Amino acid sequence: NNMKKIIIAVGALGVMSFTSNQLMNTFLLAEAVNNVQNLQEWMEQDQQNGVIDSTYAEYYLSTLNETEDMLIEFYNANYKLNTDK
């Protein structure tokens, strides 16, 4: 009887740990996407204001767009709640 209580408690802690880890990973991933989007915005502003050469800006923006797409794809594959099932 006590063993069942211990197993249930350990199982509950495991689920809570997994859930909090998943929430933390989701938060960190969202922050990474936000950082990339901020950099995209700043690069576009710098390009419009002549702070950076447009050839370099386009290259940097292309790389940032690819990075954003990869982060979102990773999120969708690993963390997005699938409500279609």
Side-chain angles (χ1 to χ4, degrees):
N1 196 10
N2 283 336
M3 185 58 89
K4 286 182 182 178
K5 290 180 183 178
I6 292 172
I7 291 173
I8 290 171
V10 169
L13 286 173
V15 168
M16 288 172 23
S17 175
F18 172 77
T19 302
S20 65
N21 285 341
Q22 187 174 6
L23 288 173
M24 180 56 90
N25 289 339
T26 301
F27 171 76
L28 292 173
L29 194 53
E31 286 301 304
V33 170
N34 188 50
N35 287 346
V36 168
Q37 290 171 340
N38 285 339
L39 287 169
Q40 289 168 315
E41 184 180 327
W42 298 336
M43 185 59 58
E44 289 169 357
Q45 290 173 355
D46 285 350
Q47 180 183 15
Q48 290 169 358
N49 294 331
V51 174
I52 186 169
D53 182 83
S54 26
T55 302
Y56 289 112
E58 290 301 321
Y59 174 74
Y60 296 152
L61 284 168
S62 175
T63 303
L64 288 168
N65 287 332
E66 288 176 24
T67 303
E68 179 188 30
D69 290 345
M70 288 185 282
L71 288 169
I72 291 170
E73 184 177 331
F74 180 82
Y75 170 80
N76 287 336
N78 293 283
Y79 297 106
K80 184 177 178 183
L81 294 175
N82 191 345
T83 56
D84 296 336
K85 290 184 180 178

